[in-house]
């Protein structure tokens, strides 16, 4: 890479880390930049996932206040996300890209609809206790959350773009939580998915990783997520919801026309 290309990758990592911490869909910024500097699609996908792990960690730490009372739920969902990430990484390394990417725009479109409908559906869910902790999630809703975590983990391990939009859309229909607390759940699960997928890539296909690109993305995403999580936590729910829907629609347009 030239110096300008290296700076472009760092800047893309900064933007992607910031977007992922608050909304999701940061891959829509970083992935095209990696392609533009000469990486083939599969190495770009793998290097992108590896490079954004630092930003996922930074974003999760930044939303630690919103994670209060959600430890039990996360401990139940993390195994599903891990299994999904391994499934997605396997699919990426064994299947042609067209086999999965053909349905990605439809999945993101569904997630956008779920985010829009979320307030109406949440009013029918059990109310949160006055002590601020999350209401217990049991039975069918817990099973649905587990399936949702596995599904989004598989998607994230294969092609990470708009993974966060899907997670917020699905969990928003199942959990009566404010968007910022849903976003905190999303950050932790995305961290797990990207980290596990990255480890799988390092072990199974290290020759497909562009280590320079991954390192540059890590520097940018770590800083971008730290800055974004500090200010993004203060966004009103309506603004955050609008941003999620807008980025989801942008993702659909980019994927369909790209």
């Amino acid at each position: 890479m030239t110096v300008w290309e290296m700076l472009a990758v760092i800047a893309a990592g900064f933007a992607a880390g910031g977007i992922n911490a608050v909304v999701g869909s940061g891959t829509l910024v970083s992935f095209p930049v990696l392609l533009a500097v000469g990486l083939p699609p599969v190495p770009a996908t793998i290097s992108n996932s590896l490079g954004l792990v630092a930003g996922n960690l930074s974003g999760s730490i930044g939303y630690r206040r919103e994670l209060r009372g959600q430890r039990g739920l996360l401990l139940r969902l993390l195994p599903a996300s891990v299994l999904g990430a391994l499934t997605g990484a396997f699919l990426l390394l064994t299947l042609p890209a067209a086999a999965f990417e053909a349905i990605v725009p439809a999945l993101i479109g569904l997630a956008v609809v779920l985010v829009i409908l979320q307030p109406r559906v949440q009013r029918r869910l059990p109310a949160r206790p006055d002590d601020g902790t999350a209401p217990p999630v049991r039975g069918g809703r817990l099973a649905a959350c587990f399936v949702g975590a596995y599904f989004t983990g598989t998607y994230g391990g294969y092609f990470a773009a708009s993974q966060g939009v899907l997670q917020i859309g699905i969990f928003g229909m199942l959990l009566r939580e404010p968007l910022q607390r849903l976003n905190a759940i999303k950050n932790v699960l995305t961290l797990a998915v990207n980290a596990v997928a990255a480890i799988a890539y390092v072990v199974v296909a290290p020759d497909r990783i562009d280590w320079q690109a991954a390192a540059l993305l890590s520097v940018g995403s770590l800083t971008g997520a730290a800055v974004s999580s500090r200010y993004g936590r203060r966004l009103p729910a309506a603004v955050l919801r609008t941003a999620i829907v807008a980025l989801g629609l942008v993702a659909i347009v980019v994927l369909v026309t790209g």
Side-chain angles (χ1 to χ4, degrees):
M1 291 187 201
T2 66
V3 172
W4 290 110
E5 288 175 337
M6 293 171 65
L7 291 175
V9 173
I10 292 175
F14 182 90
I19 293 171
N20 281 341
V22 179
V23 180
S25 299
T27 291
L28 295 177
V29 176
S30 54
F31 182 71
V33 171
L34 293 181
L35 295 179
V37 299
L39 272 67
V42 172
T45 300
I46 293 174
S47 302
N48 182 74
S49 294
L50 185 60
L52 294 183
V53 170
N56 298 143
L57 176 60
S58 181
S60 297
I61 294 173
Y63 273 81
R64 59 189 178 277
R65 292 182 184 175
E66 285 74 19
L67 290 171
R68 291 174 181 168
Q70 305 201 82
R71 182 169 178 242
L73 176 62
L74 283 172
L75 289 176
R76 289 173 172 82
L77 296 184
L78 280 170
S81 291
V82 169
L83 290 174
L86 292 172
T87 303
F90 173 79
L91 292 175
L92 178 65
L93 296 172
T94 58
L95 296 180
F100 193 83
E101 292 176 11
I103 66 170
V104 167
L107 294 176
I108 298 174
L110 174 61
V112 167
V113 172
L114 294 180
V115 171
I116 294 172
L117 295 177
Q118 177 195 349
R120 181 177 300 178
V121 174
Q122 281 198 337
R123 285 194 289 268
R124 301 182 181 181
L125 298 177
R128 298 177 70 241
D130 293 336
D131 60 5
T133 61
V137 182
R138 302 187 181 95
R141 278 201 301 136
L142 179 59
C145 286
F146 190 91
V147 172
Y150 176 79
F151 168 74
T152 55
T154 300
Y155 175 90
Y158 187 96
F159 186 69
S162 295
Q163 177 186 177
V165 175
L166 285 169
Q167 289 171 328
I168 291 178
I170 291 173
F171 296 127
M173 302 293 282
L174 298 169
L175 305 171
R176 188 163 185 173
E177 292 287 0
L179 270 179
Q180 294 289 12
R181 283 174 63 84
L182 290 172
N183 198 43
I185 294 174
K186 177 266 294 179
N187 283 344
V188 174
L189 295 183
T190 298
L191 168 62
V193 170
N194 285 353
V196 170
I199 292 172
Y201 300 144
V202 170
V203 173
V204 178
D207 56 315
R208 297 194 184 187
I209 299 173
D210 188 307
W211 293 100
Q212 183 183 36
L216 294 171
L217 280 178
S218 294
V219 172
S221 67
L222 180 67
T223 308
V227 172
S228 184
S229 60
R230 178 176 180 180
Y231 298 102
R233 294 172 53 251
R234 306 173 187 174
L235 290 175
V239 174
L240 184 58
R241 192 182 311 281
T242 300
I244 294 170
V245 171
L247 278 174
L249 294 175
V250 169
I252 294 171
V253 172
V254 170
L255 292 169
V256 169
T257 60

